[in-house]
Amino acid sequence: MSKAPVDSTVLGIETSCDETGVAVYSSVRGLLAHTLHSQVELHAHYGGVVPELASRDHVRRLLPLVHLTLERAGMQRTNIAAIAYTAGPGLAGALLVGASLAQAAAYALKVPALAVHHLEAHLLSPLMSSPAPRFPFIALLVSGGHSQLMRVGGIGDYALLGETLDDAAGEAFDKTAKLLGLGYPGGPALAQLAATGRPGRYRLPRPMLASGDLDMSFSGLKTAVLTEFRARALAPQDKADLAAEFQEAVAEVLVGKSLAAAHSTGIRQLVVAGGVGANQRLRALLNEKAALRNVAVAYPPLEFCTDNGAMVAFAGALRLAAGSFARDPGPPVFTVKPRWDLESAAAVASE
Ligand code: KG4
Ligand code: ZN
């Protein structure tokens, strides 16, 4: 008779930027509960994230969210097997809020505290869907801080294939949105405006599309939009057309580079993760072009594209199952890593 698998339940905490996310993930039953508090309204007034305000709001929100999430999951804290938290990269003060709560609670409960790499959590998040994509796969990680193509051979086996040389794709969306006078956060606002515009009326460059490698560049696109913007007063339809062309240019570059990565590695499975992965035009273009090349594409559910606690709890559960963590948690002495490259995440997570 085969033994039933052990049900390990992980509490996940995300506080790397402007979302307080908490979740409970069971290795047998899947995601039991997740909650999210977005600070969008808090920062909107400033047109971007104010780090100190972000930290203070995490302090206010995190503990009540942990209690609420455990209650929704029907879990006693004493039944938690481990606490996973985003240890970096991100805003130092914001990271410290999640890290200190996770470490202190783990110490009190005598369970491991798992330091999760934020990008690892993003890139593993499509595995929460079923059927889950299989290793190896190419991950396109496109968020406000990163634009990278990674070869993912398994949990902790990440090789960087290419990345942006300047702005991240999400950053380019945000900056261009600001230029066009749209609200914060810029990505969704620009995508909404682009839906009413016609790509092709303006002609923006497709930076580095033909560079022959897998690196990218997005800062020139923003400058090209600025040039159009300064040339003459733009009517609302002009702005929508410019937004549509900008979105098309970013999508074409990301799709071109992703398929080039699939081609050069011979890997036929792509996963898309990070906030820009919520962009519907990017998804439509990628699905269309990938199908022509016989490449499968997987996305996390829309709500788990942008920052959330579920992906952190899930990455923690995978780490726990793989035994890739410090076995003796010891006293809660820890650091966060505001800058942290993903390829070294495997080693650091088990420090
Ligand atoms: O992954 P994420 O939530 O946070 C980071 O780790 O950066 O990504 C946030 C980024 C922001 O730049 C935001 O403008 C962008 O993702 N974003 C979008 C969309 N939704 C979020 N960009 C384009 N289209 C969207 N629908
Ligand atoms: Zn993120």
Side-chain angles (χ1 to χ4, degrees):
M1 213 174 77
S2 64
K3 273 204 274 177
V6 181
D7 189 357
S8 300
T9 308
V10 175
L11 176 69
I13 293 175
E14 156 63 36
T15 62
S16 69
C17 191
D18 59 344
E19 323 274 353
T20 317
V22 180
V24 175
Y25 190 90
S26 147
S27 58
V28 172
R29 292 174 291 157
L31 187 63
L32 299 184
H34 72 101
T35 56
L36 187 76
H37 174 75
S38 167
Q39 302 178 354
V40 160
E41 277 179 28
L42 181 68
H43 301 293
H45 176 67
Y46 304 94
V49 178
V50 182
E52 185 56 27
L53 293 183
S55 319
R56 289 175 193 210
D57 201 55
H58 286 307
V59 169
R60 261 193 303 273
R61 306 282 177 181
L62 184 55
L63 199 52
L65 270 191
V66 168
H67 289 309
L68 177 67
T69 315
L70 286 173
E71 189 185 310
R72 287 196 184 159
M75 289 290 298
Q76 301 290 332
R77 60 186 156 194
T78 44
N79 292 333
I80 295 290
I83 303 180
Y85 64 97
T86 302
L91 302 171
L95 289 167
L96 278 168
V97 179
S100 47
L101 187 125
Q103 288 280 355
Y107 187 60
L109 296 172
K110 298 188 173 57
V111 298
L114 312 172
V116 168
H117 193 292
H118 183 75
L119 297 184
E120 178 179 38
H122 269 306
L123 76 81
L124 296 177
S125 62
L127 299 178
M128 280 193 275
S129 306
S130 118
R134 303 250 288 257
F135 299 118
F137 56 73
I138 302 293
L140 171 67
L141 272 173
V142 270
S143 68
H146 296 84
S147 294
Q148 299 184 332
L149 278 160
M150 311 279 312
R151 181 192 187 281
V152 181
I155 312 293
D157 175 7
Y158 314 123
L160 184 66
L161 301 173
E163 64 182 334
T164 181
L165 302 179
D166 40 57
D167 289 354
E171 189 181 359
F173 263 95
D174 293 338
K175 288 179 176 171
T176 305
K178 207 167 185 175
L179 256 175
L180 294 174
L182 304 175
Y184 162 85
L190 193 144
Q192 202 182 348
L193 180 64
T196 64
R198 295 156 292 183
R201 212 195 110 211
Y202 291 91
R203 194 66 200 157
L204 296 177
R206 273 42 176 172
M208 294 185 68
L209 191 55
S211 64
D213 59 19
L214 297 173
D215 287 335
M216 303 163 237
S217 162
F218 296 105
S219 71
L221 262 180
K222 170 200 65 200
T223 312
V225 171
L226 182 64
T227 307
E228 293 291 348
F229 194 74
R230 284 193 176 143
R232 62 195 172 89
L234 297 180
Q237 188 59 49
D238 298 331
K239 284 190 184 177
D241 293 343
L242 202 46
E245 174 67 6
F246 169 84
Q247 178 176 254
E248 199 65 19
V250 174
E252 279 182 27
V253 171
L254 293 175
V255 169
K257 296 286 176 177
S258 302
L259 293 177
H263 181 71
S264 66
T265 56
I267 295 175
R268 305 229 150 273
Q269 173 73 63
L270 262 171
V271 314
V272 182
V276 182
N279 187 276
Q280 295 300 329
R281 179 59 194 145
L282 171 64
R283 288 182 175 219
L285 192 66
L286 188 54
N287 290 342
E288 178 195 326
K289 302 284 182 201
L292 295 176
R293 306 258 193 107
N294 214 5
V295 171
V297 192
Y299 306 88
L302 265 186
E303 63 181 328
F304 300 142
C305 275
T306 45
D307 292 348
N308 63 86
M311 65 182 189
V312 179
F314 178 67
L318 294 179
R319 285 273 181 191
L320 189 69
S324 163
F325 62 94
R327 275 174 201 287
D328 171 12
V333 176
F334 60 94
T335 54
V336 293
K337 297 168 192 292
R339 288 172 180 275
W340 185 9
D341 71 285
L342 181 54
E343 282 170 303
S344 64
V348 181
S350 54
E351 254 176 16

